[in-house]
Amino acid sequence: QVHLVESGGGLVQAGGSLRLSCAASGSIFSITVMGWYRQAPGKQRELVANITRGGTTNYADSVKGRFTISRDNAKNTVYLQMNSLKPEDTAVYYCNSGVFAKATMSTNQYWGQGTQVTVSS
């Protein structure tokens, strides 16, 4: 129905940068909020940042000033530019989108499969 495909994760040293991308495809009529969550071992999934269709952004306090979320509505793609990475940023990062799907004629949350980000000290 709706698929979110993430890319850009990997291993980076502290202070380095990565850019994550997530492209949505499938039975999409419109996408409202797109965002990134992360989950470290033994912890619950937490919001990193999200962005509305109009470009309004929200960030977790822990990433403000370091991460930047953006989206390309024409491509149904959301990005997360991560700078000044810290070891505590290590987690599996998941893309999330609120999608009004043609198949169901309803809005639901969809998740990507996750991409590993590891920051070494």
Side-chain angles (χ1 to χ4, degrees):
Q1 182 187 6
V2 176
H3 302 279
L4 305 180
V5 180
E6 300 138 326
S7 62
L11 175 65
V12 65
Q13 293 184 341
S17 298
L18 287 172
R19 190 175 86 146
L20 306 183
S21 299
C22 173
S25 63
S27 181
I28 298 171
F29 183 81
S30 64
I31 300 176
T32 54
V33 179
M34 304 186 78
W36 291 93
Y37 292 72
R38 66 187 181 187
Q39 188 167 22
K43 295 186 177 181
Q44 293 188 345
R45 192 171 298 184
E46 64 177 355
L47 175 68
V48 177
N50 59 23
I51 182 170
T52 68
R53 184 173 182 84
T56 300
T57 59
N58 289 288
Y59 296 92
D61 288 341
S62 60
V63 306
K64 287 181 179 178
R66 300 188 298 120
F67 291 10
T68 302
I69 190 169
S70 61
R71 64 189 284 176
D72 186 334
N73 291 332
K75 297 181 178 180
N76 289 331
T77 300
V78 63
Y79 306 93
L80 185 68
Q81 179 67 47
M82 303 185 292
N83 299 325
S84 301
L85 282 162
K86 304 175 181 179
E88 52 261 45
D89 295 318
T90 296
V92 177
Y93 284 69
Y94 296 90
C95 178
N96 173 269
S97 294
V99 178
F100 187 89
K102 296 177 182 178
T104 61
M105 293 293 289
S106 63
T107 300
N108 289 286
Q109 297 295 314
Y110 295 88
W111 294 91
Q113 80 286 352
T115 184
Q116 178 70 47
V117 172
T118 302
V119 183
S120 63
S121 60

